[in-house]
């Protein structure tokens, strides 16, 4: 089946003036936000814009290597930059901030479309350990530093231009897009056309109950692959659309696996059984933990990873034995009370998973007939 690269082969010679912006274009811009444009794209301080074709030229000259990412944006950047549809697309106000002390990994860029609108794209999680830590902080913080930055960034774009806005992102970028749209200034909300969350995680229950979040939901387009793992995390009450992927399980999070037909994604019947199980089990587990327990677990895991001295997952992998030994040493040196607390939290996950499996088995069993076969259409 076709993917976003095939889409560019098919539609790359058709400009955005000739055929209007669509949901596949949204995913392409969300994926392009992963491109390392440090020292290339204009920052908010510099002002101005640059065409995507020139971004690619300098990116290539610098020899930028992002092969450490599963969804390495290089191949898409090359294909899009050489196309009539995206090559002349202007972008600017590129921001990329990684701060270990503040536990923030935030990056965004704005694309200015020929229809007079702007697409504000938030980057998802990269391979920095602090980036992954911030993802987990979402489960107990009502606002992470990255989410606060996302709101400020969207407000600043609205001040700089008076055009209608589309907001989107993939993975954590989708979470930031919804959060920014929900909590930005009132006049900015009115200018938002659509908020795209491409397999982005949800929010803790406190945020999900807020009036601002509820009010933005009608504008949210939540797109999930069949076996979504990331997009089902926490609470996400937006109307979701489930689409087909050429991969299995968690690998479906990779946007290059999402199936495309013409200007749209290929719809699926619904989430797979595995995704539904994960949704129920993780939902019950996280819902059963108080805020302090969530914080303890996240701190224990990532403080241990920080002990390795590595700042990225790639660095940990390059010196895996040194890193793993440092992590194990950090775990052993935890206070006994902390070890007991973390172990109890993890044991509760095993208990919840067992209960969910047992309930599912009971639901699928009819007395006198035996267990019904699994629904193969959902994987």
């Amino acid at each position: 089946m076709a993917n976003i690269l095939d889409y560019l082969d098919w539609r790359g010679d058709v400009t955005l003036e000739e055929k209007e912006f669509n949901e596949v274009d949204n995913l392409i811009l969300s994926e392009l936000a992963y491109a390392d444009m440090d020292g290339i794209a204009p920052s908010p301080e510099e002002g101005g814009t640059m065409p995507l074709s020139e971004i690619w030229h300098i990116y290539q000259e610098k020899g930028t290597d992002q092969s450490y990412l599963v969804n390495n944006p290089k191949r898409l950047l090359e294909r899009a930059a050489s196309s009539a549809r995206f090559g002349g697309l202007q972008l600017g106000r590129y921001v990329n901030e990684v701060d270990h002390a503040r536990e923030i990994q935030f990056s965004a860029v704005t694309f200015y479309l020929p229809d007079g609108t702007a697409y504000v794209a938030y980057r998802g999680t990269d391979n920095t350990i602090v980036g992954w830590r911030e993802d987990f902080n979402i489960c107990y913080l009502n606002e992470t530093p990255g989410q606060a930055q996302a709101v400020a960034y969207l407000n600043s774009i609205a001040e700089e231009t008076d055009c209608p806005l589309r907001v989107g992102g993939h993975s954590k970028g989708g979470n930031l897009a919804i959060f920014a749209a929900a909590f930005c200034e009132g006049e900015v909300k009115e200018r938002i056309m659509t908020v795209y969350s491409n397999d982005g995680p949800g929010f803790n229950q406190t945020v999900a109950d807020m009036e601002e979040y509820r009010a933005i939901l009608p504008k949210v387009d939540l797109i999930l692959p069949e076996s979504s793992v990331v997009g089902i995390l926490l609470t996400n009450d937006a109307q979701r659309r489930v689409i087909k992927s050429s991969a299995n399980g968690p690998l479906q999070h990779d946007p290059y696996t999402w199936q495309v037909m013409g200007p749209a994604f290929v719809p699926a019947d619904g989430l797979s059984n595995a995704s539904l199980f994960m949704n129920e089990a993780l939902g019950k587990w996280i819902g059963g933990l108080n805020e302090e327990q969530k914080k303890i677990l996240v701190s224990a895991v990532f403080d241990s990873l920080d002990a390795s001295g590595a700042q990225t997952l790639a660095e940990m992998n390059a010196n895996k034995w040194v890193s793993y030994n440092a992590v194990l040493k950090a775990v052993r040196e935890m206070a006994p009370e902390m070890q007991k607390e973390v172990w109890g939290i993890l044991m509760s996950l095993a208990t919840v998973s067992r209960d969910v499996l047992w309930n599912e088995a009971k639901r699928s069993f009819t007395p006198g007939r035996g267990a019904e076969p699994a629904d193969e259409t959902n994987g």
Side-chain angles (χ1 to χ4, degrees):
M1 290 295 295
N3 65 7
I4 50 178
L5 296 176
D6 300 310
Y7 168 83
L8 284 174
D9 288 338
W10 168 68
R11 175 150 281 191
D13 62 340
V14 180
T15 67
L16 284 161
E17 291 95 335
E18 294 172 309
K19 291 292 183 180
E20 64 182 3
F21 185 87
N22 61 56
E23 61 188 38
V24 182
D25 295 324
N26 139 69
L27 183 62
I28 288 173
L29 297 188
S30 290
E31 170 63 8
L32 289 175
Y34 282 95
D36 180 358
M37 303 184 219
D38 286 343
I40 305 176
S43 68
E45 294 74 26
E46 294 168 330
T49 61
M50 185 181 291
L52 191 65
S53 57
E54 190 174 345
I55 296 288
W56 163 246
H57 177 70
I58 302 174
Y59 182 97
Q60 190 178 30
E61 275 191 341
K62 290 181 65 176
T64 305
D65 181 11
Q66 293 187 266
S67 57
Y68 53 83
L69 290 176
V70 172
N71 58 319
N72 183 355
K74 182 177 180 179
R75 49 188 169 164
L76 183 67
L77 177 57
E78 178 180 13
R79 198 82 60 96
S82 61
S83 72
R85 190 163 183 81
F86 293 104
L89 193 62
Q90 298 287 324
L91 61 89
R93 300 188 70 84
Y94 173 75
V95 175
N96 185 30
E97 180 181 356
V98 178
D99 188 327
H100 291 263
R102 295 174 58 213
E103 297 182 3
I104 179 175
Q105 173 256 315
F106 174 79
S107 182
V109 64
T110 299
F111 298 91
Y112 298 90
L113 306 178
D115 64 359
T117 67
Y119 185 103
V120 178
Y122 294 103
R123 181 184 296 174
T125 308
D126 57 17
N127 78 324
T128 59
I129 293 173
V130 68
W132 284 97
R133 183 172 195 146
E134 187 181 25
D135 284 358
F136 283 83
N137 286 344
I138 291 172
C139 74
Y140 69 89
L141 291 177
N142 293 339
E143 181 183 81
T144 67
Q147 289 172 331
Q149 283 279 77
V151 174
Y153 182 85
L154 183 56
N155 284 332
S156 71
I157 296 299
E159 290 178 4
E160 184 254 348
T161 177
D162 59 0
C163 66
L165 303 168
R166 295 181 175 93
V167 190
H170 168 259
S171 193
K172 182 181 72 176
N175 173 282
L176 295 180
I178 296 177
F179 192 92
F183 295 98
C184 64
E185 297 292 338
E187 63 169 345
V188 181
K189 286 188 179 73
E190 295 176 5
R191 289 162 52 188
I192 294 174
M193 301 167 63
T194 309
V195 183
Y196 295 97
S197 178
N198 300 290
D199 205 25
F203 304 86
N204 67 44
Q205 196 58 52
T206 300
V207 174
D209 288 337
M210 290 182 179
E211 182 180 345
E212 295 89 342
Y213 171 79
R214 312 301 302 180
I216 202 63
L217 291 180
K219 292 187 177 183
V220 175
D221 189 0
L222 175 61
I223 305 170
L224 306 179
E226 294 172 279
S227 294
S228 173
V229 173
V230 177
I232 62 168
L233 294 174
L234 304 178
T235 299
N236 216 334
D237 291 330
Q239 185 67 39
R240 63 193 183 197
R241 289 194 296 128
V242 183
I243 65 171
K244 288 189 174 295
S245 165
S246 59
N248 294 315
L251 295 179
Q252 291 191 4
H253 188 56
D254 179 358
Y256 289 104
T257 71
W258 294 12
Q259 295 184 12
V260 175
M261 181 176 291
F265 298 115
V266 179
D269 293 334
L271 292 173
S272 69
N273 291 334
S275 183
L276 291 171
F277 166 75
M278 287 286 291
N279 186 23
E280 185 175 359
L282 290 177
K284 285 188 175 182
W285 179 56
I286 293 175
L289 302 179
N290 60 42
E291 302 310 300
E292 183 61 26
Q293 288 176 313
K294 294 172 186 176
K295 183 177 180 180
I296 287 172
L297 181 60
V298 172
S299 296
V301 170
F302 286 95
D303 286 351
S304 300
L305 293 179
D306 285 342
S308 71
Q311 295 192 348
T312 67
L313 299 179
E315 288 176 11
M316 285 195 68
N317 190 54
N319 302 283
K320 55 175 67 71
W321 293 116
V322 173
S323 298
Y324 294 165
N325 285 334
V327 170
L328 288 174
K329 182 174 182 292
V331 172
R332 293 193 194 100
E333 291 177 352
M334 281 183 188
E337 297 79 11
M338 174 69 77
Q339 290 188 19
K340 182 178 179 181
E341 181 73 22
V342 171
W343 180 247
I345 294 170
L346 294 176
M347 284 297 293
S348 70
L349 173 60
T351 301
V352 166
S353 299
R354 181 196 63 204
D355 292 344
V356 171
L357 276 173
W358 172 244
N359 289 333
E360 178 62 28
K362 287 194 294 184
R363 282 197 296 265
S364 63
F365 182 78
T366 302
R369 293 176 57 191
E372 296 178 357
D375 180 2
E376 296 182 356
T377 60
N378 283 343

